[in-house]
Amino acid sequence: MEKPLPYIEQQDCILHGITQIASIDPQELTPEWLLIQNNMAMAFCLNAWMFNRELK
């Protein structure tokens, strides 16, 4: 198994994916793309939550 990306790189990758999907015209987004965008947003929040939890 590959070594996981550091926290900041993970967040950068997730945020980049979200912004790429957000740049698409909303009328052209399929339900699958909307689901992917929502899942990426949840992953971003969960990743931040896990990082903050380790700091306390």
Side-chain angles (χ1 to χ4, degrees), residues 10-25 29 33-47:
Q10 289 177 26
Q11 292 297 77
D12 287 346
C13 288
I14 294 169
L15 192 56
H16 178 73
I18 292 170
T19 56
Q20 289 297 316
I21 294 171
S23 70
I24 300 170
D25 180 7
L29 284 177
W33 278 110
L34 291 171
L35 182 61
I36 291 169
Q37 184 181 30
N38 289 338
N39 287 343
M40 291 177 86
M42 286 189 282
F44 185 87
C45 292
L46 179 61
N47 205 18

Side-chain angles (χ1 to χ4, degrees), residues 6-8 10-11 43-56:
Y7 167 77
I8 296 297
Q10 289 177 26
Q11 292 297 77
F44 185 87
C45 292
L46 179 61
N47 205 18
W49 180 76
M50 293 297 290
F51 180 75
N52 289 334
R53 185 177 169 146
E54 289 178 7
L55 291 177
K56 295 180 179 178

